[in-house]
Amino acid sequence: MTNAEERDQGAIRRFDEVNLSQHSLISVKERVTDADLNWTVTYSLNGRDYNVSCRGLPDYGSPHGIDTDVSAAIINLFIELGCPDDDTISVTAYQLLKSAGLHINGQNYINLRLSLMRLEGTQYVISRTWRDAKRGRWTSSTFRYLDKVAFTGKAAEEVDEQSLICVTLPRDVTASIRAGYLKPLHLPFMQSLKRPPTRALYRLLDAQRIDPEHPERRIGAFEVKLMDWAQACKLNSDRPDMIRRALAPVHKELIDRGVLTSVEYTGRGQKQIVTYVFGEVAAPPDPRIVAALMQGGVTRPVSEKLAREFSADVIEQAVALHAALLKDGYKARSKGGLLVDVVRNPGKWLWQVVEVVVLHGSRGAAGRQAA
């Protein structure tokens, strides 16, 4: 674990179960078709061969979209509630939506119910690559992502904020959690990514950074055959151009947000290799510093970039200087733009405050315009 991760434990101490995240059981696709209902994929990642089968329910389809958010929230709620002996947690629909980082509205209550039905109704078979952390060996596993889902209160089709949801997790998953087979997951960061496919790929990529036999180890780059990667992402295509096109907007957001520094393709056709070079998101920025920058008008992506680039002391001093400038009447064209410049060029703006105190005393610098 990095120093930044240790520093942030109190604020973002969230986890992912390693088997679930490394097998990427939830499709990167935002929408699925009938062709995605049942699938079997065979691929190789980091020198390990995977064979995974999925059987979904016709009425709900196989897991995709917000199922990434819902499943990650359930894992963390299970841990927060002390890993109950009966493997069951009871939460309101409102609590679950909030934990998943999803907007609280009528449509998302409908979406939540559908997501839970998909996760309960889909069966997976994993051959020889399920890690039994307690015994330190590789095995096979057959399970549903959620073993049982029950709604109390209103009818299941009328889920609202007061609906109580009882969720039972599968025994293999809860045994793995109790054995500590977990990796840190920067859940607030994942939830801040705009699109479900980006969040799903982020979760999968973050899992590929670790050695499944030694989860504490992390790598800085990840190389994979394009066709293997399509199988891992459940893209259901054998056309390299279509695969790259589907991943392009996801890659762009992950690069823009600092998860990746680059994505490179080498080779031709189905023999192409994808190389991911990771950014510093494994050492997530201090959420307190990010929040202070955002309160100063800086967008979240720029706030996170600055929080990784500059020390907390530098940013805290810049935020205080920025507040002093505005209090003294400095009229900035962009409040956030001014704060960014103060962070990057503190000496320039410190002189502005000194000038106000020396020349104007308690009078502000009203009327001065940002350059």
Side-chain angles (χ1 to χ4, degrees):
M1 183 176 294
T2 66
N3 290 335
E5 282 174 325
E6 291 172 351
R7 179 191 66 210
D8 291 342
Q9 278 185 13
I12 61 162
R13 194 60 171 166
R14 299 293 184 269
F15 299 95
D16 212 349
E17 195 279 325
V18 177
N19 284 302
L20 294 178
S21 58
Q22 288 209 325
H23 283 88
S24 180
L25 303 177
I26 297 172
S27 175
V28 170
K29 287 184 175 182
E30 194 156 10
R31 296 177 180 83
V32 297
T33 65
D34 290 344
D36 301 302
L37 183 61
N38 302 317
W39 46 258
T40 296
V41 293
T42 301
Y43 54 92
S44 178
L45 297 179
N46 286 325
R48 188 171 300 282
D49 294 329
Y50 291 81
N51 186 286
V52 184
S53 295
C54 164
R55 296 292 178 268
L57 289 177
D59 290 343
Y60 300 106
S62 58
H64 65 282
I66 68 164
D67 300 345
T68 292
D69 308 293
V70 174
S71 60
I74 288 172
I75 289 170
N76 281 281
L77 285 168
F78 179 77
I79 295 170
E80 289 172 19
L81 293 172
C83 301
D85 291 341
D86 62 357
D87 298 334
T88 300
I89 60 172
S90 297
V91 295
T92 64
Y94 173 84
Q95 288 174 308
L96 186 46
L97 274 185
K98 188 173 181 180
S99 295
L102 299 169
H103 293 299
I104 309 297
N105 56 46
Q107 184 58 53
N108 271 344
Y109 281 116
I110 295 172
N111 294 339
L112 174 62
R113 175 184 171 274
L114 293 174
S115 175
L116 292 169
M117 294 299 94
R118 281 193 296 271
L119 293 170
E120 180 195 33
T122 303
Q123 185 180 68
Y124 294 98
V125 178
I126 295 176
S127 301
R128 299 182 299 280
T129 51
W130 183 271
R131 184 69 176 172
D132 182 340
K134 186 175 182 179
R135 295 175 176 81
R137 66 184 185 185
W138 296 99
T139 185
S140 298
S141 181
T142 299
F143 63 95
R144 290 176 295 173
Y145 215 113
L146 301 179
D147 198 51
K148 184 179 180 181
V149 177
F151 300 88
T152 63
K154 288 189 176 183
E157 64 271 15
E158 299 179 16
V159 170
D160 64 12
E161 62 180 9
Q162 296 181 344
S163 299
L164 187 64
I165 304 173
C166 298
V167 177
T168 303
L169 281 74
R171 175 61 64 176
D172 281 357
V173 173
T174 58
S176 188
I177 292 172
R178 290 191 178 95
Y181 196 48
L182 303 166
K183 57 173 286 298
L185 176 65
H186 191 1
L187 195 58
F189 180 89
M190 186 183 88
Q191 292 171 347
S192 75
L193 296 169
K194 293 180 180 178
R195 301 171 60 240
T198 311
R199 300 195 290 272
L201 192 66
Y202 167 75
R203 190 178 181 187
L204 172 58
L205 278 170
D206 196 57
Q208 298 311 312
R209 297 198 67 175
I210 68 172
D211 179 342
E213 295 185 12
H214 304 280
E216 70 281 1
R217 300 176 184 172
R218 301 180 73 85
I219 60 175
F222 168 58
E223 185 178 277
V224 60
K225 294 178 181 178
L226 178 62
M227 303 313 296
D228 280 343
W229 195 231
Q231 295 270 291
C233 295
K234 317 304 180 288
L235 290 178
N236 192 28
S237 175
D238 59 1
R239 290 183 52 184
D241 59 325
M242 296 294 290
I243 297 166
R244 289 182 57 161
R245 191 176 306 157
L247 292 172
V250 179
H251 288 164
K252 183 180 185 305
E253 185 176 358
L254 292 177
I255 290 173
D256 288 346
R257 296 296 302 276
V259 179
L260 302 170
T261 59
S262 67
V263 179
E264 298 178 359
Y265 294 93
T266 55
R268 302 183 64 180
Q270 293 189 348
K271 294 184 178 181
Q272 290 180 74
I273 302 293
V274 190
T275 301
Y276 290 99
V277 179
F278 295 102
E280 298 180 11
V281 79
D286 187 334
R288 180 177 54 86
I289 296 299
V290 171
L293 289 165
M294 291 178 67
Q295 287 173 2
V298 183
T299 64
R300 178 180 287 277
V302 176
S303 295
E304 290 171 348
K305 186 175 187 298
L306 290 172
R308 286 193 294 265
E309 191 175 343
F310 295 91
S311 71
D313 289 344
V314 167
I315 291 179
E316 286 171 350
Q317 290 170 12
V319 168
L321 181 54
H322 178 255
L325 283 164
L326 295 178
K327 183 178 180 181
D328 286 334
Y330 191 90
K331 296 185 181 299
R333 292 193 184 97
S334 166
K335 180 182 171 184
L338 174 62
L339 179 50
V340 171
D341 199 33
V342 173
V343 172
R344 296 191 178 281
N345 303 288
K348 165 185 170 183
W349 296 103
L350 181 61
W351 175 249
Q352 295 278 1
V353 174
V354 171
E355 181 184 8
V356 169
V357 173
V358 172
L359 298 181
H360 302 283
S362 62
R363 290 187 302 140
R368 291 188 295 140
Q369 298 291 322

